[in-house]
Structure formats: C-alpha cells, structure tokens
Amino acid sequence: MDKTVGVLGGGQLGRMLVEAANLLEIKVNFLDGGEYSPAKQVINHGNHIDGSFKDADAVRKLAEQSDVVTIEIEHVNTDILEQISQSGTDVQPHWRTIRTIQDKYAQKELLQSHGVATAQSVPLDSASIPDLQKASEALGLPLMLKSRREAYDGKGNFPVKTKDDFKSALDTLGSNKDLYAEKWANFRMELAVMVVKTKDQVLSFPTVETIHENSVCKLTYTPARGVSETVNEQAQELARKAVACFEGKGVFGVEMFLLEDDTLLVNEIAPRPHNSGHYTIEACPVSQYEAHLRAILDLPLFAEDLQLREPAIMLNILGGDSEDSHKAFAQEALKQRRTKIHLYGKGKARKGRKMGHITVTAPTMSEAETIIQPMIEYADKDKP
Ligand code: ATP
Ligand code: MG
Ligand code: MG
C-alpha cells in the first residue's frame, strides 16, 4: 500500500478517489489546472502539480513521482501516456484503451469486432450535407449525430429528426470536428453497470437505472426498477464482456440502452469512475473508487464486496440560478433522513454544472423513493 498514484485531472471523481485512498493511506498526486481543485483540497502533501494534463512536461513530472498513473477524465493526450509507459511508468488503464475509448466511433468499432452489441454507426468523411445524407440513407431517420471526441454531458450530440435538421446539426457540432452518425435507439430505459478489471478478473457492480435530463445524468436507481432478474444479469454480463475487450486495469462505467423488446445495446464506456457509480460509496462494501485503487495497485478485491447492501437513489446537485444554489440544496437535504450529501468544493455554481450529489439508501426502494421525492421536487422547482 505504500504506492503513489498519479491522477490526470482533479475534479469530483478525483476528490472521491482520494477520499477512498486516504482510508488506506495510499498517496495520490493530482495534475490539473487548479491549485485548489476539488481533488487537491482533500489531500495536502506538497506533491500535486498545477498545469494542463495535456502538457507533456507536466505529465512526465507526475509520472516521475508515481508508481501508477491513472485518469479521472478520458480527454487526455495519449501520446504522452504512451511515452511515459514506454519509459517504464505503469499507466492504468492501458493508454491504448484510453486512446480507443476517447474516440467514440473507434470505441464502437472495437466493441462490434468483439461481438458486443452497440447502435449501428457510420463515420462521416466530412462534416457536409452530402455525407450526412449518405449516413441517413444507411441508418434511417431519426439518427443521432455525434462528435467522435471530447464529448460529455451530451455536448457533442445532435438529434437529427428530419432532413431539415441537417444544416443546424452540422453548424452546431462544427465543421472541423470528426463526426459520426448513430442509428436512433428507441430505448425503454437507460442502464449502467460499473465494471472492475483487475489483473486476473472482470467483476461487476449491480445494474443501475439512469435517468438523464437534457443529456445530463440526473438520477440513478439501484437496483434498476421494472427490470426482470434476467435483464439485470444480462446487463452485467454485457458490461463485463464489453470491458473485457480492453487492456489494462481499473473501473469502467458502461452505459447501455434497454430496448422495448428487452435487448441491450452498449451506448458508451468510460475508462474511469463514473457518475452512475457514486451510489457505491454508501450502498456497497467497496465503492467504485476503492475498487479502482485496488484494481490498479493489485490489491485483493472480492466479488461479494461489490454487491448492494440496500437500495440506493442518487440525485445530482446541478448549479441553479444563483451562485450558491448548491448550498441551499444541501441545507434542504440536511432535513431528510438517510440522505448522504456530497459537495464537491467547486466554489460558485454555474447553471447546470455538477456541484455535488446526494445518495439515499433505505431497506426498500419504495422507502428510498419516498425520502428523496421532496429533494427531486426541490431540484425541479426552477425548471422552466
Ligand atoms: P456522457 O456525459 O455520459 O459522457 P456523452 O456526451 O458522451 O455523455 P452520450 O452518452 O453519447 O453522450 O449520449 C447522451 C444521451 O443521449 C444518452 O444518455 C441518451 O439519453 C441519448 N442518446 C445517445 N445516443 C443515442 C442514440 N443512438 N439514440 C437515442 N438516444 C441517444
Ligand atoms: Mg460520454
Ligand atoms: Mg454518456
């Protein structure tokens, strides 16, 4: 356990990672732009690096003082990770895994080549109307036009319903970006599974129901509601099969679509802890963060430690109209029993920014639903 972990990125995922690391006295150094970023606030040992995680010198400096380098965001420069790995730094998950996953089209191609079902996808040769027309002939309309890289919170996506949307879709996503088109998934629900890849096992946490609003994760319910035991198991199997396609160790968030006929498709994979796994902090013996550390440091990990202790609901605290809206939310949440509050230390709120989350766990899902209902209403009060 006297290993030092270096992390590219220092946001809320890094913050929760270091909260888990502190309990095991695992030292973690962060590289990111902010001296008091959410993660750096939690551990103070003078070895963090302030700089861009896309800057080669800064990443090399982090590597020099780390036994293992890992990421909390996939939008990093994998050429530098490849270089430090060739000079002997252990990079987890493997830089090739990060490189493939950060290109959503390449990710889908790799999954499909291993027999993992995903939405049918067509790359666009250029961001032009004739190329989008060609893709729509192959996939039909509606389709989802997506940026291959740098996408998050739906920010690289544009739903194309009819031909009239072609121009605005291309204008919105930008002409210089690599784009691809995805067949529209008529899903009944969205599910997610956190998978842990260790040196010799691929294990999974429970199946989570995720609810998105404006393409941002709003709520998660574990276990997923209204899903048969078969689907529950199939989702975990599919998620493990998907993650097994990639090299290296660590936790991976696997987002899936459950179609009307109960077939499952993988939407996308994140090679790191994930919003849909926050609930594991309170609801499972070992959280996704501790599981990530155990996996990358080759520490023991047991499948039964990833099982659910009791039903859990997670609600994101998104920035509202005022700069301290998240604090007002937390004040309200303090009034609710069985409610764990996580604020991320991001300072002033900006509209829609992830400022924190709450997790309610209870002996039954229906009790958890009753407890969290006033907080969902509070979160919705400013909605137009
Ligand atoms: P994240 O913040 O999860 O990384 P992202 O920007 O990478 O998000 P996606 O996961 O590709 O975006 O899509 C965001 C949401 O858009 C999905 O959760 C789903 O609700 C919807 N969506 C994505 N692809 C499709 C599709 N092919 N058909 C229908 N809806 C889709
Ligand atoms: Mg994504
Ligand atoms: Mg997504």
Side-chain angles (χ1 to χ4, degrees):
M1 291 203 298
D2 346 304
K3 295 256 177 84
T4 300
V5 176
V7 185
L8 303 189
Q12 68 266 25
L13 300 174
R15 182 178 175 104
M16 290 181 267
L17 184 79
V18 74
E19 282 162 351
N22 283 344
L23 298 177
L24 295 169
E25 293 189 1
I26 294 166
K27 198 170 148 200
V28 188
N29 299 320
F30 289 94
L31 162 58
D32 78 343
E35 192 183 349
Y36 299 105
S37 63
K40 287 174 182 169
Q41 289 167 27
V42 184
I43 188 166
N44 176 9
H45 48 46
N47 288 323
H48 297 308
I49 299 167
D50 301 337
S52 163
F53 47 71
K54 297 196 175 184
D55 170 24
D57 288 337
V59 176
R60 265 185 228 112
K61 201 168 150 205
L62 181 78
E64 276 161 24
Q65 53 192 56
S66 309
D67 296 296
V68 184
V69 166
T70 189
I71 55 167
E72 65 122 52
I73 176 167
E74 59 274 28
H75 307 304
V76 295
N77 183 333
T78 56
D79 293 340
I80 311 171
L81 293 182
E82 180 178 357
Q83 284 164 23
I84 61 167
S85 163
Q86 274 157 3
S87 331
T89 302
D90 187 11
V91 176
Q92 296 298 343
H94 197 285
W95 56 265
R96 265 196 300 266
T97 294
I98 302 166
R99 184 175 293 168
T100 306
I101 285 180
Q102 69 184 191
D103 176 344
K104 287 166 107 171
Y105 179 72
Q107 182 194 136
K108 288 217 166 58
E109 269 193 311
L110 185 122
L111 289 170
Q112 277 170 4
S113 74
H114 285 80
V116 174
T118 69
Q120 196 191 336
S121 299
V122 174
L124 265 63
D125 290 334
S126 71
S128 67
I129 289 184
D131 283 330
L132 183 50
Q133 171 68 30
K134 249 197 274 173
S136 79
E137 280 159 18
L139 302 172
L141 288 172
L143 59 77
M144 189 68 99
L145 189 63
K146 295 193 178 185
S147 298
R148 292 174 64 148
R149 293 186 181 78
E150 304 279 342
Y152 70 98
D153 287 347
K155 285 190 176 52
N157 291 357
F158 197 104
V160 177
K161 298 200 171 97
T162 69
K163 286 184 178 180
D164 296 340
D165 296 333
F166 283 4
K167 190 173 178 315
S168 46
L170 293 167
D171 287 348
T172 307
L173 295 184
S175 54
N176 54 357
K177 274 201 193 142
D178 287 346
L179 302 177
Y180 78 101
E182 226 176 84
K183 191 179 168 73
W184 193 264
N186 255 327
F187 54 80
R188 160 165 102 77
M189 275 168 78
E190 292 190 75
L191 302 175
V193 171
M194 293 307 306
V195 174
V196 194
K197 195 157 179 281
T198 69
K199 64 180 188 317
D200 46 20
Q201 306 182 88
V202 182
L203 304 172
S204 51
F205 282 96
T207 304
V208 178
E209 170 188 356
T210 59
I211 297 192
H212 293 79
E213 210 169 80
N214 305 322
S215 290
V216 180
C217 175
K218 177 182 184 189
L219 283 155
T220 71
Y221 294 83
T222 321
R225 301 166 306 171
V227 161
S228 68
E229 198 38 49
T230 313
V231 168
N232 190 326
E233 271 163 32
Q234 282 171 346
Q236 290 181 52
E237 267 164 39
L238 179 63
R240 289 196 300 263
K241 183 175 171 186
V243 169
C245 301
F246 294 95
E247 302 165 83
K249 299 174 284 192
V251 300
F252 293 74
V254 183
E255 300 177 11
M256 284 166 280
F257 298 136
L258 179 64
L259 305 185
E260 293 293 346
D261 64 356
D262 270 2
T263 44
L264 287 158
L265 298 178
V266 171
N267 170 25
E268 62 163 346
I269 298 182
R272 51 164 170 81
H274 191 256
N275 198 166
S276 68
H278 290 348
Y279 77 94
T280 60
I281 298 174
E282 287 81 17
C284 302
V286 167
S287 72
Q288 63 166 344
Y289 301 100
E290 184 173 339
H292 185 63
L293 293 166
R294 288 187 187 222
I296 65 176
L297 295 172
D298 294 337
L299 300 172
L301 184 64
F302 304 95
E304 65 185 276
D305 287 343
L306 311 186
Q307 287 173 12
L308 199 65
R309 287 191 211 264
E310 54 178 10
I313 306 175
M314 188 272 337
L315 172 64
N316 273 331
I317 306 176
L318 302 178
D321 289 328
S322 71
E323 60 185 40
D324 58 0
S325 57
H326 55 296
K327 295 205 174 138
F329 185 102
Q331 287 295 338
E332 281 301 306
L334 279 170
K335 299 175 193 161
Q336 307 295 332
R337 65 202 164 94
R338 292 184 164 272
T339 301
K340 203 79 188 164
I341 303 166
H342 296 252
L343 292 177
Y344 300 152
K346 290 188 177 176
K348 292 178 184 168
R350 279 201 315 270
K351 186 106 182 139
R353 191 171 187 215
K354 288 176 181 164
M355 302 303 292
H357 73 268
I358 59 171
T359 303
V360 172
T361 64
T364 63
M365 179 57 85
S366 106
E367 188 176 354
E369 286 175 312
T370 306
I371 295 169
I372 206 159
Q373 188 54 35
M375 295 315 303
I376 296 177
E377 283 163 21
Y378 187 88
D380 286 346
K381 73 178 168 25
D382 294 328
K383 258 194 351 205

PDB file of all heavy atoms in Angstrom, residues 74 104 151-152 255 268, ligand 2:
ATOM      1  N   GLU A  74     -11.169  11.057 -19.634  1.00  0.00           N
ATOM      2  CA  GLU A  74     -10.534  10.341 -20.752  1.00  0.00           C
ATOM      3  C   GLU A  74     -10.000  11.267 -21.829  1.00  0.00           C
ATOM      4  O   GLU A  74      -9.285  10.826 -22.736  1.00  0.00           O
ATOM      5  CB  GLU A  74     -11.480   9.288 -21.351  1.00  0.00           C
ATOM      6  CG  GLU A  74     -12.809   9.800 -21.887  1.00  0.00           C
ATOM      7  CD  GLU A  74     -13.866   9.898 -20.778  1.00  0.00           C
ATOM      8  OE1 GLU A  74     -13.500  10.095 -19.598  1.00  0.00           O
ATOM      9  OE2 GLU A  74     -15.062   9.801 -21.096  1.00  0.00           O
ATOM     10  N   LYS A 104     -15.239   7.977 -29.818  1.00  0.00           N
ATOM     11  CA  LYS A 104     -16.446   7.164 -29.629  1.00  0.00           C
ATOM     12  C   LYS A 104     -16.725   6.240 -30.808  1.00  0.00           C
ATOM     13  O   LYS A 104     -17.294   5.161 -30.630  1.00  0.00           O
ATOM     14  CB  LYS A 104     -17.660   8.074 -29.391  1.00  0.00           C
ATOM     15  CG  LYS A 104     -17.652   8.725 -28.025  1.00  0.00           C
ATOM     16  CD  LYS A 104     -18.654   9.854 -27.971  1.00  0.00           C
ATOM     17  CE  LYS A 104     -19.858   9.480 -27.158  1.00  0.00           C
ATOM     18  NZ  LYS A 104     -20.725  10.671 -26.944  1.00  0.00           N
ATOM     19  N   ALA A 151     -16.430  14.621 -26.156  1.00  0.00           N
ATOM     20  CA  ALA A 151     -17.857  14.762 -25.838  1.00  0.00           C
ATOM     21  C   ALA A 151     -18.101  14.467 -24.367  1.00  0.00           C
ATOM     22  O   ALA A 151     -17.460  13.600 -23.783  1.00  0.00           O
ATOM     23  CB  ALA A 151     -18.657  13.792 -26.688  1.00  0.00           C
ATOM     24  N   TYR A 152     -19.024  15.213 -23.757  1.00  0.00           N
ATOM     25  CA  TYR A 152     -19.518  14.875 -22.420  1.00  0.00           C
ATOM     26  C   TYR A 152     -20.859  15.572 -22.211  1.00  0.00           C
ATOM     27  O   TYR A 152     -21.132  16.591 -22.852  1.00  0.00           O
ATOM     28  CB  TYR A 152     -18.515  15.286 -21.322  1.00  0.00           C
ATOM     29  CG  TYR A 152     -18.395  16.781 -21.146  1.00  0.00           C
ATOM     30  CD1 TYR A 152     -19.090  17.442 -20.139  1.00  0.00           C
ATOM     31  CD2 TYR A 152     -17.632  17.520 -22.023  1.00  0.00           C
ATOM     32  CE1 TYR A 152     -19.020  18.825 -20.010  1.00  0.00           C
ATOM     33  CE2 TYR A 152     -17.554  18.902 -21.903  1.00  0.00           C
ATOM     34  CZ  TYR A 152     -18.243  19.545 -20.896  1.00  0.00           C
ATOM     35  OH  TYR A 152     -18.188  20.911 -20.783  1.00  0.00           O
ATOM     36  N   GLU A 255     -22.408   2.396 -20.099  1.00  0.00           N
ATOM     37  CA  GLU A 255     -23.770   2.905 -20.299  1.00  0.00           C
ATOM     38  C   GLU A 255     -24.462   2.056 -21.354  1.00  0.00           C
ATOM     39  O   GLU A 255     -23.861   1.765 -22.395  1.00  0.00           O
ATOM     40  CB  GLU A 255     -23.726   4.364 -20.782  1.00  0.00           C
ATOM     41  CG  GLU A 255     -23.040   5.317 -19.833  1.00  0.00           C
ATOM     42  CD  GLU A 255     -22.959   6.736 -20.401  1.00  0.00           C
ATOM     43  OE1 GLU A 255     -23.600   7.044 -21.420  1.00  0.00           O
ATOM     44  OE2 GLU A 255     -22.232   7.541 -19.802  1.00  0.00           O
ATOM     45  N   GLU A 268     -22.007   3.651 -24.440  1.00  0.00           N
ATOM     46  CA  GLU A 268     -20.596   4.047 -24.417  1.00  0.00           C
ATOM     47  C   GLU A 268     -19.962   3.615 -23.118  1.00  0.00           C
ATOM     48  O   GLU A 268     -20.646   3.276 -22.150  1.00  0.00           O
ATOM     49  CB  GLU A 268     -20.440   5.553 -24.619  1.00  0.00           C
ATOM     50  CG  GLU A 268     -21.097   6.377 -23.535  1.00  0.00           C
ATOM     51  CD  GLU A 268     -20.594   7.826 -23.511  1.00  0.00           C
ATOM     52  OE1 GLU A 268     -19.569   8.136 -24.148  1.00  0.00           O
ATOM     53  OE2 GLU A 268     -21.227   8.634 -22.821  1.00  0.00           O
TER      54      GLU A 268
HETATM   55 MG    MG B   2     -19.506  10.122 -22.933  1.00  0.00          MG
END
